[in-house]
Amino acid sequence: MLFLQLLLLTLLLPGSNHADMVHDMVSFHIIQISSYANQSWVQNQGSGWLDELQTHGWESESGSIIFLHTWSKGNFTDEQLTDLELLFRVYFIGLTQEIRNYASQFQFEYPFEMQVNAGCELYSRESPKDFVQVAYEGSDFMSFQNTSWVPSPEGGSPAQKVCDLLNQYEGIKETVQSLVRKTCPQFLLGLLDAGKMYLQRKVKPEAWLSGHSTLKSGRLLLVCHVSGFYPKPVWVMWMRDEQEQLGTKHEDPFPHADGTWYLRANLDVAAEDAAGLSCRVRHSSLGDQDIILYWGRRLSASLISLAVIVPLILLIVLMLLFKKRCSYWNIL
Ligand SMILES: *[C@@H]1O[C@H](CO)[C@@H](O)[C@H](O)[C@H]1NC(C)=O
Ligand SMILES: *[C@@H]1O[C@H](CO)[C@@H](O)[C@H](O)[C@H]1NC(C)=O
Ligand SMILES: *[C@@H]1O[C@H](CO)[C@@H](O)[C@H](O)[C@H]1NC(C)=O
């Protein structure tokens, strides 16, 4: 409890290191996806995430944590991390064994998939929240609430049976609680601090336009592509002069492997109305220098001048060469 109070204190103290980083909410969570093909074949995948950014992987052959960034160890010591690695290794082995033993009793039918999402959230003005959710074949199965396992309604009687069994093991419950309530927020704060440079970086987007004719004749789907920006918040709008085109439809931002984002903003227009439209991009990395791209102006002014100047220079060079050659012949 003392830890939580200290944690809140650091979060609320003005000018403290963390106050500016913990914006609305930030979370660290672990995702486990286990596929059971049959009695003897299982594949366990594990990963660690800071909000939507993957920070950790799991090498299931050797049972070791993969650190995806230089700062992925946060402020934990190698010893702490080795202990965690061992804990996860024992967990995966034990889980595989137990599932094999109990599969028929719990009415798990091969092949099936289990997913676990566990972690903690920090809000700047509230105490940390923790969660452990388990899904079977993609639907809610059970979760860890307060101090015990609770079946989800979707889980039916198998979920009830699993919870009844697991709730008998005090040791497991205490370990789970300690992991999500103590270790997780501690690790998250250390991670935010260690990754500060990376997490607070600003990367400018690149933008380009494309257009496709749609199934409806005479209509165009204009697409404004905005790629490679960080952080995620961005404003992209199709405009006619200063008029925002309210028909602009935004697709969900898509993450690149390097943690930057890609987004598309689409506008469906009558082909003859396309001229004069522009796409405007605002992003914190650009300051107040919005990117503005005009539809239909394929050749920019500099390209046009290049198109005039290059042939002109070539012509002059040719004339000079020709002249030189003439004078040479004259001497002969
Ligand atoms: C179990 O599943 C794996 C992967 O699909 C397959 O290669 C293997 O032959 C299966 N084993 C049995 C005993 O069915
Ligand atoms: C959580 O557990 C504590 C102690 O076991 C209990 O006092 C409290 O009422 C519980 N809260 C909920 C929401 O179940
Ligand atoms: C890591 O940082 C957190 C938050 O600042 C702190 O509570 C924790 O004790 C630190 N852990 C280590 C191993 O230094």
Side-chain angles (χ1 to χ4, degrees):
M1 256 359 257
L2 179 67
F3 165 73
L4 289 187
Q5 283 156 13
L6 282 177
L7 181 76
L8 276 184
L9 212 64
T10 38
L11 286 179
L12 298 176
L13 276 182
S16 98
N17 246 352
H18 302 298
D20 50 344
M21 288 186 300
V22 181
H23 2 273
D24 310 322
M25 188 271 274
V26 62
S27 68
F28 181 75
H29 61 128
I30 283 174
I31 293 180
Q32 173 202 338
I33 302 173
S34 296
S35 311
Y36 301 84
N38 50 45
Q39 273 281 343
S40 51
W41 195 93
V42 55
Q43 186 191 47
N44 288 311
Q45 288 173 280
S47 51
W49 301 77
L50 180 62
D51 285 336
E52 292 157 306
L53 173 71
Q54 188 179 355
T55 48
H56 300 82
W58 178 253
E59 168 56 55
S60 59
E61 290 293 319
S62 60
S64 46
I65 300 172
I66 302 166
F67 299 95
L68 295 176
H69 298 275
T70 51
W71 45 272
S72 287
K73 292 184 176 180
N75 67 346
F76 274 27
T77 61
D78 284 343
E79 199 187 348
Q80 278 173 300
L81 291 166
T82 308
D83 286 350
L84 281 172
E85 209 169 56
L86 186 64
L87 187 68
F88 290 131
R89 211 179 291 161
V90 169
Y91 163 72
F92 276 122
I93 294 170
L95 180 74
T96 304
Q97 189 62 43
E98 293 308 312
I99 296 268
R100 194 170 292 159
N101 294 344
Y102 284 99
S104 61
Q105 190 180 330
F106 292 150
Q107 297 151 39
F108 293 155
E109 280 174 31
Y110 293 105
F112 62 88
E113 191 170 274
M114 270 183 53
Q115 290 149 310
V116 181
N117 180 24
C120 56
E121 294 172 349
L122 292 177
Y123 293 80
S124 42
R125 294 188 198 292
E126 289 172 50
S127 54
K129 285 193 170 59
D130 54 84
F131 52 90
V132 181
Q133 295 150 338
V134 181
Y136 172 77
E137 288 289 79
S139 66
D140 285 345
F141 189 72
M142 65 184 197
S143 59
F144 192 75
Q145 305 273 341
N146 208 7
T147 56
S148 56
W149 296 99
V150 179
S152 308
E154 298 91 326
S157 79
Q160 184 67 56
K161 280 187 207 160
V162 174
C163 289
D164 288 346
L165 178 75
L166 279 177
N167 280 329
Q168 295 169 17
Y169 295 96
E170 288 303 326
I172 294 179
K173 290 195 287 186
E174 274 164 26
T175 306
V176 170
Q177 271 191 67
S178 154
L179 276 178
V180 292
R181 254 162 243 177
K182 199 167 138 244
T183 314
C184 181
Q186 224 167 329
F187 185 65
L188 172 52
L189 281 178
L191 202 59
L192 286 175
D193 207 29
K196 193 155 54 178
M197 292 285 281
Y198 184 86
L199 299 167
Q200 293 182 344
R201 78 200 194 283
K202 292 202 187 300
V203 188
K204 287 185 186 176
E206 268 181 59
W208 68 95
L209 306 178
S210 64
H212 317 274
S213 41
T214 64
L215 288 178
K216 285 171 285 177
S217 67
R219 296 202 66 87
L220 264 183
L221 183 70
L222 302 183
V223 184
C224 181
H225 308 254
V226 185
S227 182
F229 56 92
Y230 187 91
K232 193 179 181 184
V234 67
W235 184 90
V236 184
M237 191 57 88
W238 278 99
M239 315 279 290
R240 187 177 298 285
D241 303 318
E242 289 303 306
Q243 190 77 40
E244 292 178 16
Q245 299 300 295
L246 298 176
T248 303
K249 291 205 168 55
H250 299 93
E251 292 180 11
D252 286 337
F254 182 83
H256 287 305
D258 65 0
T260 63
W261 293 91
Y262 169 78
L263 174 122
R264 269 196 296 238
N266 304 333
L267 184 67
D268 183 342
V269 289
E272 63 270 23
D273 293 337
L277 286 168
S278 61
C279 173
R280 187 167 195 142
V281 181
R282 244 172 244 161
H283 187 258
S284 56
S285 64
L286 298 167
D288 48 14
Q289 302 282 314
D290 296 355
I291 295 178
I292 303 174
L293 297 174
Y294 292 91
W295 176 253
R297 271 194 221 166
R298 291 273 156 68
L299 290 179
S300 69
S302 58
L303 266 182
I304 291 171
S305 46
L306 213 63
V308 175
I309 288 170
V310 170
L312 209 67
I313 292 176
L314 276 177
L315 200 68
I316 293 170
V317 169
L318 277 176
M319 278 168 65
L320 285 175
L321 278 177
F322 189 65
K323 224 173 147 187
K324 228 180 181 173
R325 192 160 276 189
C326 283
S327 42
Y328 189 58
W329 284 335
N330 281 347
I331 294 168
L332 281 179

